[in-house]
Amino acid sequence: GKPGKRLFFHNQLQRNIHQGLQGFAAQILDGVFKSGFDLQVRLLLHGSGHFTIFYGNQSIIGGINAVDFDLYGQINAESAGIKQISGAGGQLDFVLGAYLSKGGKSFICLSSAMKGKDGQLKSRIVPTLTNGSICTDPRSTIQYLVTEYGMINLKGLNTWQRAEQIISIAHPQFRDELIKDAEKMGIWRKSNKR
């Protein structure tokens, strides 16, 4: 038969799961399910599943949010520039633990853009992390990046390939600008797709 897709929840989260999965998180899970992965999802309380839980386990899927990420694949999940808005918690543990588990996959999931306080749409994919922002996850640890425009796998890609793939899941309104930024940074080649 077809591989099953089951969803498991930590007991303390069951009563809040509907609220917690509304909106973007539910769309991301739906997109991952539609991608053909045979998934078993277990939502854990933050701090209950650090690296040691993943080490040696099989097929752990880690789905984590972020504030923004840059064209190199560096993830900021803690600050808006120099303003601290969150802590690292166990994010890097989840990213590495899921990736290093046998058959595991690590996902960073976020919307491609957001509305700023001024009401203007702003890209969450930036050329380089904003000055003062914290690099929660270095580029060498990132496997899958997911926005509403697609899912990419950055493992094993060089800098130019990473930039191309990342721009492909950016909000369409910002893609040309990101290409220009990548050209200025020397990480966009004529062979890259437009």
Side-chain angles (χ1 to χ4, degrees):
K2 288 185 178 180
K5 293 173 179 129
R6 294 181 282 171
L7 195 56
F8 296 97
F9 304 104
H10 191 282
N11 290 339
Q12 293 178 1
L13 291 178
Q14 287 177 351
R15 63 182 166 261
N16 297 323
I17 201 65
H18 178 71
Q19 178 184 351
L21 288 180
Q22 285 180 353
F24 185 70
Q27 291 173 10
I28 291 295
L29 281 175
D30 187 51
V32 172
F33 286 146
K34 286 179 184 173
S35 71
F37 285 116
D38 180 18
L39 294 181
Q40 291 187 18
V41 178
R42 182 177 185 167
L43 299 177
L44 300 169
L45 290 176
H46 186 68
S48 67
H50 291 289
F51 186 75
T52 55
I53 287 178
F54 296 119
Y55 189 74
N57 284 312
Q58 294 187 8
S59 300
I60 301 295
I61 307 295
I64 299 154
N65 198 354
V67 174
D68 54 18
F69 60 93
D70 69 17
L71 295 179
Y72 294 104
Q74 300 176 115
I75 305 297
N76 164 29
E78 301 175 60
S79 67
I82 59 171
K83 181 181 177 187
Q84 187 79 33
I85 58 175
S86 179
Q91 179 155 335
L92 186 56
D93 291 341
F94 275 88
V95 168
L96 286 172
Y99 178 72
L100 294 174
S101 69
K102 185 177 180 182
K105 292 175 176 50
S106 171
F107 294 86
I108 303 289
C109 307
L110 70 161
S111 58
S112 64
M114 62 172 209
K115 284 199 177 181
K117 289 181 181 180
D118 59 2
Q120 297 294 311
L121 194 63
K122 297 183 180 194
S123 181
R124 293 178 74 186
I125 299 173
V126 294
T128 59
L129 293 181
T130 304
N131 195 20
S133 288
I134 297 166
C135 180
T136 308
D137 304 311
R139 67 187 188 147
S140 60
T141 64
I142 305 306
Q143 188 175 15
Y144 290 97
L145 285 175
V146 182
T147 73
E148 69 274 27
Y149 294 102
M151 176 176 68
I152 57 173
N153 184 350
L154 296 181
K155 279 296 183 182
L157 299 184
N158 64 36
T159 303
W160 301 276
Q161 292 167 327
R162 284 171 173 265
E164 180 180 325
Q165 289 296 304
I166 290 168
I167 291 170
S168 78
I169 62 168
H171 191 286
Q173 180 176 325
F174 300 105
R175 290 181 187 169
D176 288 340
E177 184 181 337
L178 287 168
I179 289 171
K180 288 177 187 173
D181 289 329
E183 287 173 335
K184 288 178 197 171
M185 294 162 53
I187 58 171
W188 189 266
R189 299 282 173 109
K190 289 182 182 179
S191 60
N192 285 61
K193 297 176 189 171
R194 276 203 178 261

